[in-house]
Amino acid sequence: MLSIVEHDHGTPLREGTKLVTLSIDGREVTVPEGTSVMRAASLSDVKIPKLCATEQLEAFGSCRMCLVQIEGMKGLPASCTTPVAQGMVVHTQNAQLAQIRRGVMELYISDHPLDCLTCPANGHCELQDMAGVVGLREVRYGYAGANHLDAPKDESNPYFTFDASKCIVCSRCVRACDEQQGTLALTIQGRGFDSTVSASQNESFMASECVSCGACVQACPTATLSEKSLIEKGQAEHSITTTCAYCGVGCSFRAEMQGEELVRMVPNSDGHANHGHSCVKGRFAIGYATHADRILKPMIRERITDPWREVSWEEAIGHAAAELKRIQAKYGRNSIGGITSSRCTNEETYLVQKLVRAGFGNNNVDTCARVCHSPTGYGLKNTLGESAGTQNFDSVMQADVILVIGANPTDGHPVFASQMKRRLRQGAKLIVADPRRIDLVRTPHIAATHHLKLRPGTNVALINSLAHVIVTEGLVQEDFVRERCEADSFEKWRDFVALEKNSPEAMQAITGVPAAEVRAAARLYATGGNGAIYYGLGVTEHSQGSTMVMGIANLAMATGNVGREGVGVNPLRGQNNVQGSCDMGSFPHEFPGYRHVSDDQVRARFEGAWGVSLHGEPGLRIPNMFEAALDGDFKGLYIEGEDIAQSDPNTQHVTAALSAMECIIVQDLFLNESAKFAHVFLPGSSFLEKDGTFTNAERRISRVRKVMEPKARYADWETTQLLANALGYPMSYTHPSQIMDEIAQLTPTFTNVSYERLDELGSIQWPCNDQHPQGTPTMHVGQFVRGKGKFLLTEYVPTAEKVNARYPLILTTGRILSQYNVGAQTRRTENNRWHEEDRVEIHPHDAEERGIAEGDWVGIASRAGDTVLRARITERVQPGVIYTTFHFPESGANVITTDNSDWATNCPEYKVTAVQATRVTQPSEWQKRFREFTDTQEALLKGAGAEALAGK
Ligand code: SF4
Ligand code: SF4
Ligand code: SF4
Ligand code: FES
């Protein structure tokens, strides 16, 4: 955990069951068949010199440094490309080998700058190391001949440099971009002496297809590709393993440190979710954690028109507690509540819901998962019996047909997308169901067999028509259904989807997808081998989000695609800890482990552990809190790590509700949009400043480890504890591990989870209990968690959000790789270089009709509100559909989205809003008001009074 350098065995692990024994320099070594001689040697502590090999990449055999002598074999083979064989006798050292290696090294060094002492790679340069290993003492060729020492640097990427003068053309970067990342942005151009690394068609890295994942930087054995932070700060002296705080992939990283200062983030090759890979956010977009905008002192104010006043922690906590008590005394116990966030750790989220249930004395707690994956919990629990995805990420490597519905993995879950692309390049088939042409539809060496370009809002119609084909064409896996599922529910479902109204031909008019294409896709999914479904918010954020999740589960059960590797139903969770925040009981109706608050036995268990009596009635969901606030019944809110004023739909409705409250306490890193309506600000801590755990989209619990002290004195869990104590509900944890111990004690799926066990295993996929002591990579093996799988009827009900002459287009929303949700973190990094504003994508046909050209300002009006964005004209979207991202508050994407929501869970219908788009010349009225309000709040932050502002 504290080591800086991970050991690299030179070529990738082979996991075959057949073992081979050989002799290397007189040592006997036994390894799986297919292992390279180089790796076998390394595993027996025999180091063979190497330059072009690394265990992250398949061997290439270009540098000739790793030659060995093998008895009975002609010549001197490269150990990186030579597989082991039974009885093989290998010699890695002799005079001839030493001479060849020195000769090779001499050639490299004769065209390499000798500025080792000032080079950023000094101390971890493999070229330098190998020069030492082979005993290079002179360079006979001198430096006067043709060389590359003056080759120009490419500094275009904000996070790394490319110094061509130091390149040894080992092609590790090219292979990393191909094999690990799957972007294929790099090539080796030219031949022999003229060979150089080139990004795209000889462009700068920034202008090329490069997505700045950093895999090439990590693979480079020299200083050619180097992180700018490393060049600036020098090498780290220790490292600590932790987990990325961005998306639901949950990549493991080594935070490389100089004391309390972060030098760089290096993806951990032992990371079970990422296997040494990363994306631009996790590796590079870390600057927000130490950004000058961070608020490090607690603040209070009476009214939101007052200037903020910095106060001591004691005063802030005391004031917050007094206000909450005052409100409850005046308006009743249910007049306050709390919201936690999927950005928080499990332990923090657990404490917030405990504070609300035990300290506030009600169940008014909710989480941002309400607005993303709450339908997943509902839909999967009711069909399969567990509210979570069925597989681990590695399972995709066994999939034969991959069905991606309403997800954009290359932007939203980039590291998993790279793994998926690897499988697709190996030959798995791809079906994409999405209104928009996401990158996965056509990307280097990958083309979707079917792109079902459905109209937004018609998911359920599509899933029913896919099911119709499977049922009516005899493609149901009868044995699986008979043994594993409820017969009665299956029969009802089968009869329902077989109805003519659900046929692709009948549904074509609704979905817009040609019936023949639906039929072909259904046949491929049902008969193409292991079928795996991956879905995202394009499934859940609809008025029928829960219905669609059930439809997906039905389809997987009917085709026998659950309960083993390579198949399953896999929700791609958006944020780092969406799964965890749901697991931790942050919904108003459920305790940790998805147990209903009305269950007397469960409640008694929590009452015993927490020492209070608890309520058996579900509390308010976020939208109900807003309604109650506008009705005058809900007056106080504690928000930890969530920005509802930007992320929730119908912004004007949300801000009206916030304005109607008497005490809003915001705990966050920055003065976010919600904090502009707050009365108490409690500084939050970044993931680098605390211990805890995150649970990723695979149910994988991973440790978050403190690498620096909290910049504002307290980690978030400590702040919640201070508030609980001030309210008179005692909490006395001294470390988050104690919180996890309590979670484990009270949550059956977490029984055997502890920090010790996490340290031992690296990460754990729940359930982890006596039946599954090592965790559970694949769920529903043998039987479903609920016993028999249950088919549920999924009648298609069109959304109430209709297009008409006034609002003829449908707006749908999504994310982009370089930004993350409300953008509070990524907007405070160089990632803005890739995406500095949200734009609206519009089809050329719709643009032309409206006289809109690329870059024009476009007014977008819906029934909820209007905003103005600049146009991007593209055929990625279909005619009649426009698309935007929501990473910048001033874009006001959620000013347009409506209050429509999923019938079962209230998850907002972000993906379907009827709008009109027109060419305009100035910001919308809302945007003008927003700018004014923001300027005022920023001035109030600096201490100016409203009166002073009024006179400015
Ligand atoms: S940073 Fe990633 S995408 Fe860019 S060239 Fe390197 S490996 Fe390829
Ligand atoms: S940039 Fe680095 S990894 Fe790529 S070819 Fe040059 S030395 Fe090798
Ligand atoms: S894929 Fe997700 S978890 Fe991994 S580095 Fe990127 S943002 Fe972080
Ligand atoms: S390390 Fe084997 S040929 Fe380069």
Side-chain angles (χ1 to χ4, degrees), residues 498-641:
L499 295 174
E500 187 49 33
K501 68 174 183 180
N502 287 320
S503 70
E505 289 71 20
M507 286 300 190
Q508 179 171 328
I510 293 166
T511 61
V513 185
E517 184 109 37
V518 174
R519 285 193 178 272
R523 289 173 198 142
L524 178 59
Y525 172 70
T527 64
N530 283 342
I533 300 179
Y534 295 88
Y535 73 86
L537 304 182
V539 159
T540 54
E541 291 177 342
H542 288 272
S543 60
Q544 281 201 291
S546 293
T547 317
M548 181 61 181
V549 174
M550 295 189 283
I552 287 172
N554 290 338
L555 204 68
M557 287 190 290
T559 51
N561 278 317
V562 195
R564 61 180 192 281
E565 275 200 85
V567 298
V569 177
N570 304 282
L572 293 174
R573 308 286 186 150
Q575 301 199 66
N576 50 334
N577 201 32
V578 179
Q579 182 66 57
S581 72
C582 299
D583 301 340
M584 292 300 105
S586 53
F587 287 135
H589 65 295
E590 282 171 340
F591 286 118
Y594 304 98
R595 286 156 307 153
H596 205 277
V597 291
S598 63
D599 183 323
D600 292 343
Q601 258 187 335
V602 172
R603 215 170 52 253
R605 183 99 199 273
F606 281 91
E607 285 175 336
W610 294 352
V612 283
S613 70
L614 297 168
H615 282 273
E617 283 288 311
L620 299 175
R621 296 171 173 181
I622 292 173
N624 308 133
M625 292 181 194
F626 297 151
E627 292 305 328
L630 290 168
D631 289 346
D633 302 328
F634 189 80
K635 294 288 189 183
L637 185 57
Y638 170 49
I639 311 172
E640 181 173 317

Side-chain angles (χ1 to χ4, degrees), residues 244 246-247 249-251 253 279 281-282 414-415:
C244 178
Y246 279 118
C247 86
V249 178
C251 296
F253 279 89
C279 80
K281 295 191 284 284
V415 165

Side-chain angles (χ1 to χ4, degrees), residues 162 166-174 186 188 197 216 219-222 224-225:
F162 175 72
K166 299 197 166 181
C167 180
I168 60 170
V169 202
C170 65
S171 95
R172 270 162 67 160
C173 54
V174 178
L186 302 178
I188 301 285
V197 172
C216 56
C220 183
T222 66
T224 314
L225 284 159

Side-chain angles (χ1 to χ4, degrees), residues 38 49-53 60-67 78-81:
M38 173 180 280
K50 62 182 173 62
L51 276 174
C52 68
F60 190 57
S62 69
C63 74
R64 316 307 286 168
M65 285 293 290
C66 69
L67 306 187
S79 61
C80 62
T81 50

Side-chain angles (χ1 to χ4, degrees), residues 292-295 297 299 301 306-310 670-671 676 681 934-945 949:
D293 284 355
R294 266 191 72 176
I295 297 176
K297 295 270 174 30
M299 305 186 298
R301 59 183 177 179
D306 292 342
W308 283 104
R309 195 160 58 83
E310 280 184 6
F670 306 105
L671 190 84
K676 291 171 187 167
F681 186 91
T934 299
D935 289 347
T936 305
Q937 289 300 321
E938 279 169 5
L940 293 172
L941 180 63
K942 291 181 188 127
L949 281 165

